[in-house]
Amino acid sequence: MTTTSFSASVGAWAQKVEGAVEAVFKQSVQELVREVQKTRNEGGRMRVDTGFLRASLLASTSMMPRINPAAKPAKDAGPNSVPYNFGTIEAVIAGSELGQTIYLGYTASYAGYREYGVNDQPGDAFVRTAAQRWSSIVEAEAAKAKARFGL
């Protein structure tokens, strides 16, 4: 996989259009979140039972959200009973500044097991797989922005 800088992926055109680089940055992070949260039913890698893991995703500009060893769904939680709200994550992204790190992390106690697996059971790699697509996400969002700006 070739690694390019964010600026190189966006392109020189964006430097000349006020707000374009920031728009591509924020749209790219939003698309990364959509990718990491995409369920298997939607063509992604995340298995969803109660929805608790998916709902435990947090965003921060100050530090990586930590796994909470006590965070797990209620014993009586039914299928898809825990709703996912993109609004809080979207607010962090919208309030971020260009060049600022946006940390995304799951707080569910079993998040690491679901990502990496345990014992002989393989993990789902929903985070790693989405993260590996960062460059292509940025390039796609830059192309969309370029088209919106009529360039």
Side-chain angles (χ1 to χ4, degrees), residues 44-127:
R45 299 183 66 92
M46 180 176 275
R47 289 181 285 151
V48 175
D49 181 17
T50 63
F52 187 85
L53 174 63
R54 195 167 190 237
S56 80
L57 181 65
L58 296 179
S60 171
T61 55
S62 60
M63 65 184 291
M64 177 62 84
R66 295 178 184 234
I67 290 177
N68 176 351
K72 42 188 109 170
K75 291 182 190 228
D76 62 348
N80 295 307
S81 62
V82 182
Y84 163 61
N85 180 357
F86 180 63
T88 57
I89 294 169
E90 189 174 36
V92 171
I93 295 168
S96 68
E97 296 178 15
L98 187 60
Q100 194 170 27
T101 300
I102 299 176
Y103 300 95
L104 301 166
Y106 290 92
T107 61
S109 61
Y110 54 94
Y113 299 113
R114 290 286 297 277
E115 173 67 14
Y116 296 105
V118 62
N119 300 328
D120 293 338
Q121 301 297 313
D124 297 325
F126 49 93
V127 174

Side-chain angles (χ1 to χ4, degrees), residues 10-30:
V10 173
W13 67 269
Q15 303 296 329
K16 299 173 187 168
V17 178
E18 186 175 338
V21 175
E22 184 175 7
V24 171
F25 167 65
K26 290 180 179 183
Q27 284 299 122
S28 296
V29 176
Q30 287 181 5

